């Protein structure tokens, strides 16, 4: 579970950064660029920290995932469009839950 969560954090971080870039290119949204960049980097920091301090790293990853879950629940409710709000909502929820499960595994001494 620990390695799966680490891989998920890397993929998630890269996708968030790329999504921010796409928001800038397609919609000329500087907010998307900054938000995608910051949250993507935060997810990558969570991965990096999980290598030497998995409790902290997975907490960072879970916080990013669950924060974005909350934000994109409201965006999806307003737009009712799967792309991009629904996709980011599902990915964020999965990453947040995966990081919490990996953190519990580490805490129990299994990871």
């Amino acid at each position: 579970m620990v390695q799966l969560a680490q891989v998920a954090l890397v993929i998630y971080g890269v996708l968030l950064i790329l999504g921010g870039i796409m928001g800038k290119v397609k919609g000329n949204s500087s907010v998307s660029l900054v938000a995608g960049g910051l949250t993507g980097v935060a997810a990558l920091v969570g991965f990096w920290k999980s290598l030497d301090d998995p409790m902290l790293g997975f907490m960072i990853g879970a916080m990013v995932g669950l924060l974005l879950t909350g934000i994109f629940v409201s965006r999806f409710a307003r737009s009712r469009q799967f792309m991009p709000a629904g996709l980011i909502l599902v990915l964020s929820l999965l990453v947040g839950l995966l990081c919490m499960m990996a953190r519990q595994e580490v805490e129990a001494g299994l990871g």
Side-chain angles (χ1 to χ4, degrees):
M1 184 71 63
V2 169
Q3 290 175 332
L4 179 61
Q6 289 172 329
V7 169
L9 277 173
V10 170
I11 293 170
Y12 182 58
V14 170
L15 288 175
L16 289 173
I17 292 168
L18 291 175
I21 292 169
M22 289 299 295
K24 178 63 175 172
V25 170
K26 286 193 168 202
N28 198 28
S29 173
S30 296
V31 172
S32 290
L33 180 63
V34 171
L38 289 175
T39 55
V41 167
L44 293 174
V45 166
F47 160 73
W48 176 70
K49 281 306 291 177
S50 75
L51 297 174
D52 64 345
D53 185 356
M55 292 293 286
L56 177 59
F58 291 133
M59 178 60 74
I60 293 169
M63 290 172 60
V64 171
L66 296 178
L67 171 71
L68 288 180
T69 296
I71 291 170
F72 280 92
V73 161
S74 67
R75 289 193 184 169
F76 180 70
R78 281 192 312 250
S79 71
R80 298 278 189 229
Q81 294 181 348
F82 186 72
M83 286 299 289
L87 178 63
I88 298 174
L89 168 61
V90 170
L91 289 175
S92 297
L93 182 60
L94 289 174
V95 169
L97 293 174
L98 189 59
C99 285
M100 289 192 312
M101 291 168 50
R103 190 171 192 275
Q104 285 182 327
E105 188 176 294
V106 168
E107 190 173 32
L110 303 174

